[in-house]
């Protein structure tokens, strides 16, 4: 191809939708955010939840989407990862808040990148809008995680998830420090809400420092992927000046940063006393490295930072409504309520912020009588069924997991949405199903969408669930 022919091709390709579809991001921070998303998604797919046959198709789609993101076709990448994130949430009882965050980031990315294809002259602006949206979605998650924790049980050391988490940390590092127990819940609340507040005040390095310190113990003990999903929002906040500062410090101090990261990881492993699951070692190293990188850059430069263009407020409102849904009785899972002790069921409502009167409905299934073939035949299972709260997707799962010829009929009697029901044999798929109006506002669309907690006792208070 001659130079003249090449020039003509260059003039032509930018005007085709195919070229726009595969055009790499304009904003360098946007590319950083994409790399962070890819790594976070891989950590997410490494979780035990994803290693089931039900999730196989969505996992394959996710991997293809991540490949397109790495190939710099962000439009196709965001579309495929959005589809892949949605499938487990809607069809396979995915209970993870990080899944909802990944879905929100991918969906908004596809929308903004599609607009960039239609209006290529405004593509840089759409990328910045997406960055701002991703950044503030993460901060909304922190805010609601804080709000959900303001309840009687979280503030009570006897039941608090703060104590549960600290006990896990004590076991991990082989130490005991129980005199902190009365204050732990308040420490967690203060730390969690300080992160979005510091971003609002444009103290972004302080916010990142506190966030990494907050997430390291959570990552080592309970949430090995969640920190990297939240890191996507933190990266999205990086402006041009900060990007230059971070690159400058890493290029000048990379040996010190790597050394500090290795030393901190080794000290942590020695304190733990044994080797964790092998992928946790590089993940922990990256967290320590990020912590020291933030500290050195924060110390090296003190210049004015910005929070970028305004985000997409409809998307933020949609995510905020999703997080507020527990108080309306519409949904509990995927709403940043993990490890919060929050109860929204009748008789156990414990929020100190919102009154129970705002709940639209209580959609838990309560079993009052049950037996397998005959009363008392399998008392252990009968006790589980009678003592716990249930939801219709769990009833479907119960049918799949428990039913066999040896236990039929599986009799159930109880209440759902304040009406009585009787199922003569749950194992009989021809039996009348009393939960056809399961779903938000009574519209049943996705049988496998698990809206409410598992392993929740009817009686309260109850110690932390994870």
């Amino acid at each position: 191809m001659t130079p003249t022919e090449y020039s003509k091709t260059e003039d032509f390709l930018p005007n085709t939708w195919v070229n726009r579809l595969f055009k790499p991001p304009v904003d360098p921070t946007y590319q950083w955010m994409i790399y962070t998303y890819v790594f976070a998604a891989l950590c997410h797919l490494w979780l035990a939840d994803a290693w089931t046959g039900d999730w196989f198709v969505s996992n394959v789609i996710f991997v293809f989407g991540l490949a397109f993101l790495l190939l710099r076709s962000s439009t196709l990448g965001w579309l495929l990862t959005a589809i892949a994130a949605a499938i487990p949430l809607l069809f396979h009882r995915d209970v993870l808040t990080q899944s909802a965050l990944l879905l929100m980031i991918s969906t908004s990315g596809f929308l903004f990148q599609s607009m960039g294809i239609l209006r290529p002259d405004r593509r840089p602006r759409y990328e910045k809008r997406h960055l701002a949206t991703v950044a503030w979605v993460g901060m909304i998650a922190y805010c609601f995680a804080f709000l959900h924790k303001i309840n009687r049980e979280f503030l009570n050391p006897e039941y608090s998830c703060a104590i549960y988490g600290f006990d896990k940390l004590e076991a991990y590092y082989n130490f005991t420090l129980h005199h902190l127990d009365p204050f732990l819940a308040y420490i967690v609340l203060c730390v969690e809400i300080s992160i979005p507040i510091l971003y609002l005040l444009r103290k972004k390095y302080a916010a990142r420092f506190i966030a990494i310190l907050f997430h390291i113990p959570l990552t080592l003990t309970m949430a090995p992927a969640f920190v990297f999903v939240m890191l996507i929002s933190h990266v999205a906040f990086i402006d041009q000046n900060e990007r230059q500062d971070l690159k400058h410090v890493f290029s000048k101090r990379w040996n010190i940063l790597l050394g500090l990261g290795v030393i901190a990881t080794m000290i942590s492993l020695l304190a733990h006393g044994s080797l964790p699951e092998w992928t946790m070692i590089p993940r922990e190293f990256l967290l320590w490295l990020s912590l020291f990188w933030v500290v050195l850059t924060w110390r090296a430069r003190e210049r004015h930072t910005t929070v970028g263009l305004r985000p997409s407020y409809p998307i933020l409102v949609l995510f905020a409504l999703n997080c507020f849904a527990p108080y309306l009785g519409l949904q509990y899972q995927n709403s940043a309520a993990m490890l919060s002790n929050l109860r929204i069921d009748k008789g156990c409502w414990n929020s100190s912020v919102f009154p129970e009167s705002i709940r639209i409905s209580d959609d838990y299934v309560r079993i009052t009588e049950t037996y397998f073939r005959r009363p008392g035949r399998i008392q252990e299972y009968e006790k589980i069924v009678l003592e716990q709260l249930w939801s219709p997707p769990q009833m479907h799962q119960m049918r799949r997991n428990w039913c066999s010829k040896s236990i039929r009929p599986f009799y159930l009697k109880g209440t759902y949405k304040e009406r009585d029901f009787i199922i003569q044999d749950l194992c009989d798929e021809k039996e009348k199903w009393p939960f056809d109006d399961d779903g938000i506002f009574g519209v049943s669309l996705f049988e496998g969408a698990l809206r409410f907690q598992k392993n929740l006792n009817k009686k309260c208070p109850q110690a932390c669930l994870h």
Side-chain angles (χ1 to χ4, degrees), residues 119-241:
R119 293 287 304 275
D121 58 311
R122 302 193 67 182
R123 187 176 182 188
R125 184 174 183 84
Y126 288 134
E127 288 183 357
K128 290 186 180 297
R129 289 287 299 279
H130 187 212
L131 282 171
T133 302
V134 170
W136 289 110
V137 160
M139 297 310 106
I140 289 173
Y142 281 122
C143 288
F144 273 96
F146 166 79
L147 284 173
H148 294 328
K149 290 180 177 68
I150 306 178
N151 63 70
R152 290 191 304 272
E153 276 67 68
F154 188 82
L155 298 176
N156 185 339
E158 186 176 353
Y159 305 103
S160 179
C161 284
I163 305 299
Y164 174 86
F166 198 69
D167 287 345
K168 291 280 188 181
L169 187 64
E170 289 178 324
Y172 186 87
Y173 280 131
N174 305 299
F175 73 92
T176 302
L177 203 63
H178 290 313
H179 66 272
L180 284 178
D181 287 0
F183 312 104
L184 280 174
Y186 299 96
I187 293 172
V188 170
L189 287 171
C190 290
V191 169
E192 203 153 34
I193 195 59
S194 71
I195 298 169
I197 289 175
L198 286 169
Y199 272 113
L200 283 170
L201 297 175
R202 300 186 180 183
K203 303 295 183 180
K204 294 197 281 183
Y205 281 109
R208 291 168 191 141
F209 176 77
I210 291 173
I212 297 171
L213 276 183
F214 177 64
H215 280 288
I216 286 176
L218 288 175
T219 305
L220 297 178
T221 57
M222 292 181 290
F226 185 64
V227 61
F228 300 105
V229 176
M230 295 304 295
L231 185 61
I232 303 168
S233 293
H234 292 285
V235 170
F237 267 116
I238 296 174
D239 62 27
Q240 182 178 351
N241 288 337

Side-chain angles (χ1 to χ4, degrees), residues 100-118:
L101 286 163
L102 291 171
L103 175 60
M104 189 63 63
I105 293 168
S106 296
T107 304
S108 58
F110 173 68
L111 293 174
F112 281 116
Q113 288 298 312
S114 297
M115 289 188 287
I117 290 176
L118 297 174

Side-chain angles (χ1 to χ4, degrees), residues 42-107:
L42 291 174
C43 293
H44 174 75
L45 294 177
W46 194 254
L47 294 172
D49 303 68
W51 286 70
T52 65
D54 288 344
W55 288 36
F56 178 76
V57 173
S58 63
N59 291 348
V60 171
I61 297 172
F62 223 135
V63 170
F64 273 101
L66 297 178
F68 274 113
L69 287 175
L70 288 177
L71 291 171
R72 298 189 174 186
S73 176
S74 49
T75 310
L76 284 175
W78 290 133
L79 175 61
L80 291 176
T81 53
I83 293 171
I87 290 173
L89 285 168
L90 299 179
F91 301 103
H92 303 309
R93 302 172 305 283
D94 186 352
V95 302
L96 301 173
T97 295
Q98 62 186 263
S99 301
L101 286 163
L102 291 171
L103 175 60
M104 189 63 63
I105 293 168
S106 296
T107 304

Side-chain angles (χ1 to χ4, degrees), residues 54 91-93 392-404 410 426-427 429 433 447-450:
D54 288 344
F91 301 103
H92 303 309
R93 302 172 305 283
Q394 289 178 277
M395 308 301 287
H396 283 291
Q397 188 68 16
M398 198 184 293
R399 172 184 281 173
R400 288 188 288 267
N401 292 346
W402 290 7
C403 284
S404 65
F410 181 1
L426 182 68
C427 301
E429 295 189 8
W433 192 249
E447 176 186 304
L450 187 60

Side-chain angles (χ1 to χ4, degrees), residues 277-289:
E277 191 270 330
W278 70 271
T279 66
M280 287 304 301
I281 298 175
R283 279 188 262 182
E284 182 180 359
F285 166 75
L286 287 173
L287 290 176
W288 289 116
L289 175 66

Side-chain angles (χ1 to χ4, degrees), residues 1-18:
M1 182 180 291
T2 66
T4 303
E5 290 172 334
Y6 180 80
S7 178
K8 290 180 179 178
T9 304
E10 280 290 283
D11 290 340
F12 171 72
L13 284 177
N15 295 320
T16 66
W17 68 269
V18 175

